[in-house]
């Protein structure tokens, strides 16, 4: 009787509950690229620890059971062997130099037509781009193709030819509760183009074939993920995206990666406009201040901050009270919802609390925070759900019917929580943000943080480097000149200040970032120059690729591998591309509600000096307009 992998199915179900409880949606793209039958290697990105295999197994098309690798020594005991085998895990003898022996269990799975999932990057990490792709997937695929030709009697009919499908798992915000996950499967890769070289008796030919296949796997992963040359560029692109689209829901998730990569490419262009350094600095300052206050641009954009709230503006009392009434109304609207959500909230409150505690244990490991939140919360729910069941059952006198009713109540409570949590969570966040902002702008200006003390909060924090990453294998990409953000030590920890001391600075930075981004697009639209582009986007959207700029570099194995060639797109085409997908470029010029709160303590609206010396800023003047004499 074939193994039905009962433990795997149970673990997959628990993993599904965990990821659905943390993320709003797992959006799958390219499921048609995944074969329904036959041997398959799924080469997936690995940027969020245990959540990556959980998401991959739970949302894999056609519910095919994925097998994963584990070292052979774990199968030594009968109990370990049963548990791991029933979980769909395959033993790999890493000490063996014979690849046929190394992949023996893998070959058996392929010969039955089973898929195997691998994470070719070798470790989970937080970086600006795909840093490394190791050769294990390529070796396994090509060695199996060779083995299947030599032992056709051991191969199930239809399992002779293996394919590789890449799976790019992209998070809109991988540490944020109720964010989104995008999993995109690339076109399948067949072994036929590589087998002739792999089977060649020429010295070094098999390894060269493996390197070619690995390079193709890496290129597929790059084309379906977001890759930036440095943190400044990535953070600038993120901030621009948040200003152009008020929230995640306003972006079509099918195009989230393409839009993000287009903005990354835009901010990767050296000397994009004369005041490009200033534009990036404004975006980075706003991004960093949002980080420091745990606010988001979408929350600020949704707040009612009319000028009638300005404490320095002479406003009739009824008008000011009317505006305050709007905040009170929103507060009451949230409180009215609370009774309908109270029982599920109380039931899940311990999970929320312990999840936050788990994230604080790994504040410097961005790729581990969501895992800890999910695992810690799930462990608590394993205790609270049974406790709730017995609590309800006690009221029903421990009768058999009472047990069924209690189980139904607990299940309904969990479903009710997941159904309502998004709406209640968003309303609660906006409400808290509204009162925090109101307290900040109504507080005495002498409470504002001084400009010298503020400087440390205007530089975004950078995750520490992963020691397991081989940075020499990362493909080169064009990058803009480094800035203080890139040079800053990521190990430095800073204390989170009271938000009331930063609110005016945040609102000021918001106004300046919007103006800077508007000026950038105005210059690009006026000048019509070309901008950097990833090669796959340049080819897709009518750009051009300079193949001659692809450089050949030596690897540790002596095999040459070309870097990615330079790609370009027209700036006007990029702007039209963004507008077509809902970018609010024209709205950047509109007066931002609440800009009255961005005034400096002297009452001046322009505060370039607040965030450092701006003497190097270049002001762009359209042709035909002369600057004022100063």
């Amino acid at each position: 009787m074939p193994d039905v992998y009962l433990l795997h199915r149970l673990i997959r179900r628990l993993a599904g509950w965990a990821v659905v409880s943390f993320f709003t949606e797992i959006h799958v793209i390219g499921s048609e690229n995944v074969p329904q039958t036959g041997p398959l290697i799924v080469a997936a990105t690995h940027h969020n620890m245990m959540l990556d295999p959980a998401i991959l197994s739970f949302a894999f098309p056609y519910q095919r059971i994925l097998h994963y690798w584990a070292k052979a020594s774990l199968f030594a005991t009968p109990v370990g062997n049963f548990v791991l085998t029933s979980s769909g895990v395959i033993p790999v003898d890493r000490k063996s130099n014979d690849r046929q022996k190394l992949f023996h269990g893998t070959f058996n799975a392929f010969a039955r037509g089973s898929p195997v999932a691998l994470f070719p990057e070798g470790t989970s990490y937080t970086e600006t781009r795909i840093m490394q792709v190791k050769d294990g997937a390529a070796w396994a695929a090509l060695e199996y193709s060779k083995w299947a030709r030599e032992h056709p009697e051991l191969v199930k009919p239809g399992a002779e030819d293996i394919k590789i499908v890449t799976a790019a798992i992209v998070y809109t915000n991988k540490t944020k509760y109720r964010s989104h996950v995008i999993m995109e499967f690339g076109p399948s890769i067949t072994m036929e183009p590589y087998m002739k070289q792999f089977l060649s008796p020429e010295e070094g030919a098999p390894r060269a074939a493996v390197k070619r296949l690995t390079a193709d796997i890496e290129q597929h992963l790059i084309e379906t993920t977001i890759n930036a040359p440095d943190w400044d560029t990535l953070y600038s692109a993120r901030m621009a995206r948040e200003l152009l689209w008020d929230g995640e829901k306003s972006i079509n998730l099918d195009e989230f990666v393409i839009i993000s990569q287009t903005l990354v490419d835009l901010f990767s262009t050296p000397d994009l406009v004369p005041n490009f350094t200033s534009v990036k600095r404004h975006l980075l300052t706003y991004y960093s201040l949002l980080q420091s206050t745990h606010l988001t641009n979408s929350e600020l954009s949704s707040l009612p901050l009319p000028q009638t709230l300005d404490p320095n503006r002479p406003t009739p009392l009824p008008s000011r009270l009317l505006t305050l009434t709007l905040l009170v109304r929103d507060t009451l609207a949230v409180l009215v919802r609370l009774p309908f959500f109270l029982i599920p909230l109380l039931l899940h409150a311990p999970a929320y609390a312990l999840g936050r505690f788990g994230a604080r244990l790994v504040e410097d490991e961005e790729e581990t925070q969501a895992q800890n939140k999910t695992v810690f919360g799930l462990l608590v729910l394993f205790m609270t759900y049974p406790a709730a069941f017995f609590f309800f059952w006690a009221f029903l006198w421990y009768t058999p019917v009472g047990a069924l009713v209690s189980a139904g109540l607990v299940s309904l409570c969990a479903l009710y929580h997941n159904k309502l949590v998004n709406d209640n969570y968003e309303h609660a966040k906006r409400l808290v943000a509204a009162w925090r902002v109101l307290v900040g702008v109504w507080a005495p200006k002498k409470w504002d943080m001084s400009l010298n003390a503020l400087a440390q909060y205007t530089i975004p924090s950078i995750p520490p480097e992963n020691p397991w990453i081989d940075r020499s294998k990362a493909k080169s990409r064009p990058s803009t000149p480094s800035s203080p953000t890139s040079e800053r030590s990521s190990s430095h920890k800073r204390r989170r200040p009271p938000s009331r001391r930063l609110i005016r600075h945040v609102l000021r930075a918001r106004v300046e970032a919007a103006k800077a981004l508007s000026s950038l697009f105005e210059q690009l639209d006026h000048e019509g120059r070309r901008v950097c582009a990833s090669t796959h986007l340049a080819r897709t959207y009518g750009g051009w690729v300079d193949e001659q700029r692809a450089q050949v570099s030596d690897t540790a194995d002596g095999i040459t591998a070309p870097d990615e060639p330079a790609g370009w797109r027209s700036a006007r085409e990029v702007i039209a591309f963004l507008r077509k997908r809902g970018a609010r470029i024209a709205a950047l010029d509109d007066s931002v509600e609440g800009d009255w709160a961005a005034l400096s303590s002297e009452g001046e609206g322009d505060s370039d000096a607040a965030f450092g010396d701006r003497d190097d800023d270049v002001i762009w003047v359209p042709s035909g307009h002369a600057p004022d004499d100063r």
Side-chain angles (χ1 to χ4, degrees):
M1 177 179 176
D3 197 327
V4 293
Y5 303 111
L6 290 178
L7 273 179
H8 178 94
R9 297 176 190 275
L10 175 62
I11 294 171
R12 183 171 65 184
R13 173 52 55 190
L14 293 175
W17 289 340
V19 297
V20 168
S21 67
F22 188 85
F23 297 105
T24 295
E25 178 187 3
I26 301 174
H27 187 77
V28 178
I29 304 173
S31 58
E32 68 278 3
N33 293 325
V34 179
Q36 297 189 37
T37 59
L40 178 69
I41 290 180
V42 183
T45 55
H46 197 19
H47 302 154
N48 213 354
M49 297 298 281
M50 289 172 55
L51 291 183
D52 291 328
I55 290 168
L56 183 61
S57 296
F58 171 69
F60 194 71
Y62 318 117
Q63 290 294 289
R64 296 188 68 180
I65 292 179
L66 293 175
H67 299 265
Y68 295 90
W69 283 349
K71 58 183 181 180
S73 59
L74 297 176
F75 291 76
T77 65
V79 174
N81 181 69
F82 170 77
V83 170
L84 292 173
T85 302
S86 185
S87 301
V89 179
I90 297 173
V92 176
D93 187 1
R94 298 178 180 178
K95 296 181 180 180
S96 176
N97 294 324
D98 182 358
R99 291 192 178 88
Q100 296 286 325
K101 183 179 179 182
L102 173 70
F103 296 127
H104 176 71
T106 307
F107 290 171
N108 289 336
F110 288 151
R112 298 191 300 269
S114 299
V116 174
L118 308 176
F119 297 101
E121 292 168 283
T123 184
S124 180
Y125 60 90
T126 298
E127 287 290 346
T128 60
R129 61 192 185 276
I130 299 289
M131 296 298 294
Q132 64 182 21
V133 174
K134 297 187 175 182
D135 301 334
W139 277 114
L142 293 173
E143 287 285 3
Y144 172 74
S145 297
K146 176 182 177 182
W147 179 84
R149 294 186 182 190
E150 297 173 349
H151 305 280
E153 72 282 358
L154 301 178
V155 179
K156 176 183 176 182
E160 299 85 1
D161 299 321
I162 189 171
K163 296 179 180 180
I164 297 177
V165 170
T166 56
I169 306 174
V170 177
Y171 301 84
T172 57
N173 188 332
K174 66 183 180 182
T175 64
K176 181 183 176 184
Y177 181 58
R178 307 313 294 167
S179 56
H180 295 75
V181 183
I182 302 162
M183 183 162 61
E184 182 171 358
F185 295 98
S188 60
I189 303 173
T190 61
M191 298 303 106
E192 190 61 33
Y194 313 94
M195 285 307 296
K196 182 178 180 181
Q197 184 180 25
F198 186 74
L199 297 175
S200 172
E202 183 181 347
E203 183 179 359
R207 185 173 294 274
V210 168
K211 291 294 180 182
R212 283 176 51 219
L213 178 54
T214 300
D216 287 343
I217 294 171
E218 181 176 4
Q219 187 59 35
H220 278 230
L221 291 174
I222 288 174
E223 291 179 4
T224 48
T225 53
I226 304 167
N227 296 272
D230 53 63
W231 286 107
D232 278 2
T233 302
L234 181 62
Y235 288 157
S236 299
R238 283 183 186 174
M239 195 67 259
R241 187 184 66 212
E242 291 184 27
L243 288 167
L244 294 170
W245 287 269
D246 280 342
E248 293 176 3
K249 295 181 180 178
S250 59
I251 300 182
N252 182 354
L253 291 181
D254 284 336
E255 298 183 313
F256 180 87
V257 172
I258 297 175
I259 290 171
S260 301
Q261 188 61 55
T262 296
L263 291 171
V264 165
D265 292 341
L266 182 67
F267 284 94
S268 299
T269 308
D271 303 321
L272 182 60
V273 291
N275 63 333
F276 187 42
T277 301
S278 173
V279 171
K280 289 185 69 173
R281 185 164 54 234
H282 282 302
L283 292 171
L284 291 170
T285 295
Y286 183 36
Y287 183 87
S288 180
L289 288 174
L290 289 176
Q291 276 187 330
S292 300
T293 54
H294 291 193
L295 292 169
T296 65
N297 182 70
S298 61
E299 290 169 0
L300 295 179
S301 300
S302 66
L303 300 183
L305 292 172
Q307 290 189 350
T308 52
L309 281 179
D310 187 354
N312 299 315
R313 182 185 180 91
T315 304
L317 184 60
S319 298
R320 184 160 293 172
L321 290 177
L322 178 61
T323 305
L324 283 174
T325 302
L326 297 178
L327 281 176
V328 175
R329 180 200 63 187
D330 291 343
T331 303
L332 293 176
V334 173
L335 294 178
V336 166
R337 297 165 177 264
L338 188 59
F340 301 98
F341 192 60
L342 184 60
I343 294 178
L345 179 61
L346 292 176
L347 182 62
H348 292 81
Y352 288 137
L354 200 61
R356 288 178 63 87
F357 171 75
R360 289 176 181 175
L361 295 177
V362 287
E363 286 183 337
D364 290 336
E365 299 177 23
E366 189 174 319
E367 67 274 12
T368 313
Q369 291 181 30
Q371 170 193 274
N372 280 18
K373 289 179 182 179
T374 305
V375 172
F376 280 48
L378 197 63
L379 290 175
V380 173
L381 292 179
F382 281 152
M383 295 182 285
T384 56
Y385 280 176
F389 168 77
F390 284 107
F391 177 80
F392 290 136
W393 195 18
F395 278 97
L396 299 174
W397 304 97
Y398 296 108
T399 61
V401 175
L404 293 176
V405 172
S406 299
L409 286 174
V410 173
S411 300
L412 286 174
C413 192
L415 293 173
Y416 188 62
H417 169 270
N418 288 344
K419 186 72 174 177
L420 297 182
V421 66
N422 282 353
D423 195 39
N424 283 277
Y425 184 56
E426 290 300 323
H427 277 81
K429 285 197 303 180
R430 284 199 297 268
L431 177 64
V432 171
W435 286 106
R436 287 174 64 192
V437 169
L438 188 62
V439 170
V441 299
W442 275 24
K445 290 187 177 180
K446 63 181 180 180
W447 289 5
D448 286 357
M449 183 171 289
S450 67
L451 300 184
N452 289 335
L454 181 69
Q456 63 178 313
Y457 300 106
T458 62
I459 301 177
S461 59
I462 299 175
E465 291 185 353
N466 188 315
W468 304 106
I469 294 295
D470 184 357
R471 298 179 184 277
S472 65
K473 294 185 178 181
K475 282 191 175 182
S476 64
R477 284 180 54 85
S479 61
T480 53
S482 62
S483 70
T485 308
S486 304
E487 298 165 2
R488 178 181 176 275
S489 173
S490 61
S491 61
H492 173 69
K493 289 187 177 181
R494 56 193 182 194
R495 184 175 60 86
R496 181 186 173 189
S499 60
R500 67 177 182 274
R501 302 189 63 194
L502 291 179
I503 289 300
R504 285 195 185 89
H505 297 299
V506 172
L507 296 176
R508 182 189 305 120
R510 177 187 173 210
V511 173
E512 293 177 348
K515 289 180 180 179
L517 190 59
S518 175
S519 74
L520 172 66
F521 284 116
E522 184 179 356
Q523 293 175 73
L524 291 177
D525 199 21
H526 181 270
E527 296 177 359
R529 60 170 296 169
R530 68 179 189 176
V531 299
C532 287
S534 300
T535 53
H536 63 286
L537 295 182
R539 294 187 178 105
T540 301
Y541 295 102
W544 55 97
V545 178
D546 186 1
E547 300 286 356
Q548 294 182 353
R549 290 192 58 180
Q551 300 178 353
V552 175
S553 56
D554 293 332
T555 68
D557 300 301
I559 308 297
T560 57
D563 290 329
E564 185 177 357
W568 305 92
R569 293 168 70 181
S570 162
R572 290 197 177 104
E573 180 273 318
V574 168
I575 294 174
F577 168 90
L578 296 173
R579 281 181 173 145
K580 185 177 180 181
R581 284 149 184 82
R584 300 168 61 254
I585 295 177
L588 294 172
D589 289 324
D590 297 342
S591 177
V592 178
E593 188 174 35
D595 57 0
W596 55 267
L599 299 179
S600 68
S601 58
E602 292 78 24
E604 299 174 350
D606 187 10
S607 58
D608 275 354
F611 302 121
D613 185 10
R614 295 297 198 248
D615 292 340
D616 61 336
D617 288 359
V618 180
I619 305 300
W620 175 75
V621 181
S623 59
H625 293 74
D628 296 335
D629 293 334
R630 302 284 184 189

